[in-house]
Amino acid sequence: MDEEGNVQAATLPFRLSGVDISCDLTPEAVEQAVIKAKKAGIQHLKREKGFILKREGSNQVAVLLPSVMPTGLSSQELTKMELDTRRQVLYYVEAFRRYLKGMEQCELTMIGPSIGFRETRRIKGKSMIKAEDVLNRKKCEDSVARGGWKPEIHKDTDKMATYMDVKEGSWFDIPLGALQSDNIGNLYAAGRMISADEAAFAAVRVMGTCFATGHSAGVAAAVQAEYGEADIRKIRAELDRQGALL
């Protein structure tokens, strides 16, 4: 497994009710409220700017703020990160009630079931998706899926994501080799585990692309099991038959 590079920040979402969504709940408004709360002595507010997601006609919002920079995946470390981010949630609720207009009567209705990791370990594949492949929307003959997101990099728990510019329109291809283990003949990866460099990974880890690579990995494994080899023509033909975008 590839453990090179710095891991991206992990986030725990939560939901609030009783919110006046007509008020300014932009990342800039959140930042001003959190700064005021910090000055007033409210602790455990690690990130100052984050997203509050509204839904028209509802007084409930989803909040993406509590964050932590993962240091490992042992049970002790995972427990520590869960405790840390869940504690952050309670202090953000207090900060919002006191300093963010529209949140005066908000109530905590749900905390995410588990912390959301953007990045953990990933496979060493027969080929690797690189940053230039994503930025230049590279196409390839052994493609088994498409990616359409720009690299979204979260390197600091106290800052918003950094986005890398890409060519407008189109998509980049994901080659079969990025899903295949370099040294285990019948091992495939999908989603956050495919072979990609640090910047490219920040584009392929998003949900839609994870669905596509999961579909492709399953079909490729089935073709290999039936025919004894991962014939790209057979894999692509079956994916096409099943309605995949290639």
Side-chain angles (χ1 to χ4, degrees):
M1 295 293 185
D2 182 4
E3 299 181 47
E4 297 179 359
N6 297 317
V7 73
Q8 296 192 49
T11 300
L12 181 68
F14 63 96
R15 186 177 296 165
L16 297 172
S17 63
V19 178
D20 181 356
I21 65 169
S22 67
C23 293
D24 182 5
L25 302 178
T26 60
E28 291 71 26
V30 170
E31 182 179 32
Q32 292 175 15
V34 173
I35 290 173
K36 289 179 182 178
K38 281 184 173 182
K39 288 180 179 178
I42 297 179
Q43 301 178 18
H44 308 297
L45 306 176
K46 286 193 174 180
R47 186 171 181 173
E48 293 179 355
K49 185 183 288 189
F51 289 108
I52 294 179
L53 307 177
K54 304 177 183 179
R55 186 173 63 182
E56 188 175 351
S58 172
N59 70 351
Q60 293 197 36
V61 296
V63 183
L64 303 177
L65 264 170
S67 299
V68 65
M69 194 62 70
T71 57
L73 295 174
S74 69
S75 59
Q76 293 86 353
E77 289 166 312
L78 290 171
T79 299
K80 182 180 178 181
M81 288 185 281
E82 287 281 356
L83 290 172
D84 183 357
T85 50
R86 289 175 188 278
R87 178 176 57 187
Q88 288 180 49
V89 170
L90 302 180
Y91 285 88
Y92 277 115
V93 174
E94 180 183 354
F96 289 165
R97 285 174 179 162
R98 290 171 60 178
Y99 298 104
L100 186 56
K101 184 174 176 57
M103 292 280 198
E104 295 86 352
Q105 305 300 321
C106 73
E107 295 288 342
L108 178 62
T109 56
M110 189 187 76
I111 300 177
S114 64
I115 193 169
F117 289 96
R118 292 182 173 88
E119 181 175 5
T120 53
R121 297 185 178 96
R122 51 189 182 270
I123 200 169
K124 282 189 175 180
K126 291 184 177 180
S127 62
M128 176 182 284
I129 304 169
K130 297 183 179 180
E132 55 264 32
D133 301 335
V134 174
L135 299 180
N136 294 320
R137 299 313 207 206
K138 181 180 178 180
K139 308 298 189 294
C140 55
E141 293 184 354
D142 60 342
S143 171
V144 291
R146 294 181 182 180
W149 202 251
K150 64 174 67 176
E152 177 189 333
I153 302 171
H154 298 255
K155 283 299 183 186
D156 194 321
T157 57
D158 194 31
K159 291 186 172 71
M160 299 290 280
T162 298
Y163 292 88
M164 298 176 68
D165 289 333
V166 299
K167 289 185 176 180
E168 291 186 6
S170 192
W171 66 89
F172 60 92
D173 280 342
I174 296 175
L176 176 63
L179 278 59
Q180 294 176 301
S181 168
D182 181 48
N183 56 9
I184 301 177
N186 61 346
L187 179 63
Y188 289 84
R192 296 181 308 180
M193 295 181 65
I194 71 174
S195 179
D197 70 18
E198 188 175 5
F201 177 80
V204 301
R205 65 171 177 77
V206 297
M207 294 178 89
T209 310
C210 288
F211 294 154
T213 54
H215 185 190
S216 301
V219 168
V223 168
Q224 182 169 344
E226 183 170 356
Y227 298 101
E229 63 176 338
D231 187 316
I232 186 61
R233 293 169 299 178
K234 288 184 172 66
I235 293 169
R236 283 176 57 86
E238 181 59 26
L239 286 169
D240 184 62
R241 188 187 72 81
Q242 294 183 18
L245 295 175
L246 299 173

